[in-house]
Amino acid sequence: MDRIDAMRAFVTVVNEGTFTRAADRLGLSPQLVSKYVSQLEQHLAVRLLNRTTRRIHLTEAGTRYHQRAQQVLNDIDDMESQLDDLQAQAQGLLRISAPVSFAIRHMAPLLSEFQRAHPAVGIDLQLNDRKVDIVEEGFDIALRIGHLKSSSLIAKRLAPVRLVLCASPAYLEQHGTPERPEDLLNHRYLRYSYMDMDAGPAVHKWLQGSGRDNTKEMISNNGDVLIEAAIAGAGIVLQPTFITGAAIREGKLQVLLPEHEPEPMGLYAVYAHRQLLASKVRGFIDFIDGFFGEPPYWDRFGQ
């Protein structure tokens, strides 16, 4: 018995739900897949699956073995993929989804340098602030910002993303500078419509608190529009420093309530599979890792 083949057969049966679907996935006969699983159980001297005519059920031992076996197979695939990458030049069209404001402000130098290092890779960059379905929409990689929830996707953290509350000096001169979060109730709020209300920071809850006249707010699904409005004196804005950093450095915006700054979010590269990762994807992940610096260059505004 080849233990790796038997392990892969068992893991595929669990993941696919039936021996027939597992056989199709592996390009083997159902009989051979069943034989591999039986041999694995004999080798381990423990039952991994309870089989019925309609379904399979993992035993307690099977559940524990499946988790470890899946990791072992992932590690083997990663190792072989990395060795293959040493022999193969990254090539092909790399489809990337990225947030609008971040991409416009920060991705052109990254992509230019990446293509100089990997001239056989083409780039198809699509900008969208919604969370695209990577698999369904055919993307290789998506850049996402936030506190990522657990999912089947692979996510690599690239940089911290700070949220700061700020307004123009002219606005603050006219309306006063808030000293406490409670003071925000009396100010005009330039609201980003994709802000997660449930996971929003404490200052955001004051900006959205009861007793406000929300009909006078400005709302947009684009952070750049809100920042330009804030610079023009329209109100207070809560946005990432990768958008606000330049205006803060130039004195066009002033940071408010820095002691109440929310916990940083993260910039992540998200992709669908760890196994057999294409060289163009691995090349991009390796290239972008550390590209923006630590701390990121957009945070170097003396705050």
Side-chain angles (χ1 to χ4, degrees):
M1 176 190 68
D2 186 301
R3 290 172 63 185
I4 299 299
D5 287 345
M7 187 185 297
R8 196 177 298 278
F10 165 71
V11 167
T12 307
V13 168
V14 175
N15 292 346
E16 295 295 325
T18 69
F19 281 82
T20 300
R21 288 202 294 269
D24 290 339
R25 168 75 67 175
L26 294 169
L28 304 172
S29 68
Q31 294 79 12
L32 183 56
V33 172
S34 180
K35 179 181 178 181
Y36 276 146
V37 174
S38 296
Q39 288 178 339
L40 184 61
E41 290 177 322
Q42 292 171 14
H43 172 75
L44 298 171
V46 67
R47 180 173 291 278
L48 301 173
L49 296 172
N50 288 320
R51 305 159 176 80
T52 67
T53 55
R54 291 180 176 272
R55 300 186 62 186
I56 61 168
H57 301 273
L58 279 169
T59 65
E60 181 180 358
T63 298
R64 295 178 63 182
Y65 186 82
H66 175 260
Q67 293 172 347
R68 298 297 297 273
Q70 181 72 75
Q71 185 60 56
V72 168
L73 294 173
N74 285 345
D75 290 342
I76 291 172
D77 290 338
D78 269 352
M79 176 183 64
E80 293 180 349
S81 180
Q82 289 177 35
L83 292 175
D84 287 342
D85 286 348
L86 293 176
Q87 306 298 325
Q89 180 188 30
Q91 58 184 327
L93 182 65
L94 184 67
R95 298 198 71 231
I96 304 171
S97 171
V100 177
S101 294
F102 182 83
I104 290 172
R105 289 172 176 262
H106 303 289
M107 287 198 69
L110 165 71
L111 297 179
S112 297
E113 291 188 31
F114 174 73
Q115 285 198 296
R116 279 197 293 270
H118 301 279
V121 177
I123 300 293
D124 178 3
L125 176 65
Q126 299 293 319
L127 308 188
N128 204 314
D129 285 335
R130 68 178 176 84
K131 291 184 178 178
V132 301
D133 187 314
I134 295 176
V135 176
E136 288 293 325
E137 299 181 48
F139 287 102
D140 297 300
I141 295 172
L143 298 188
R144 289 184 179 168
I145 294 168
H147 300 287
L148 291 195
K149 301 173 183 177
S150 60
S151 74
S152 60
L153 300 174
I154 311 300
K156 183 174 183 60
R157 191 173 185 272
L158 303 174
V161 174
R162 291 174 56 196
L163 283 175
V164 293
L165 196 69
C166 48
S168 71
Y171 174 86
L172 296 174
E173 184 178 351
Q174 180 178 356
H175 298 279
T177 300
E179 302 292 338
R180 302 171 302 164
E182 301 93 298
D183 297 339
L184 297 173
L185 285 171
N186 302 316
H187 286 270
R188 290 177 61 85
Y189 179 33
L190 311 178
R191 181 158 67 89
Y192 181 59
S193 57
Y194 285 152
M195 180 73 73
D196 186 339
M197 291 291 292
D198 295 329
V203 290
H204 181 249
K205 300 184 190 308
W206 284 105
L207 289 163
Q208 285 290 100
S210 58
R212 294 180 59 87
D213 184 359
N214 294 331
T215 61
K216 297 180 180 179
E217 289 183 344
M218 179 185 297
I219 303 172
S220 176
N221 65 353
N222 180 263
D224 278 293
V225 170
L226 297 176
I227 291 301
E228 292 302 319
I231 291 171
I236 291 177
V237 69
L238 179 66
Q239 281 290 303
T241 52
F242 65 74
I243 303 179
T244 62
I248 293 170
R249 279 194 303 272
E250 296 166 6
K252 297 178 180 178
L253 290 176
Q254 179 179 326
V255 176
L256 307 174
L257 302 175
E259 66 276 14
H260 295 281
E261 182 178 314
E263 283 295 314
M265 300 184 293
L267 170 68
Y268 295 86
V270 179
Y271 49 104
H273 301 291
R274 185 191 301 277
Q275 296 169 293
L276 301 178
L277 196 61
S279 59
K280 63 183 179 180
V281 177
R282 185 177 299 281
F284 185 78
I285 296 297
D286 291 343
F287 191 87
I288 197 175
D289 186 20
F291 182 87
F292 301 113
E294 184 60 43
Y297 63 79
W298 54 75
D299 276 341
R300 300 168 194 165
F301 49 78
Q303 298 295 325

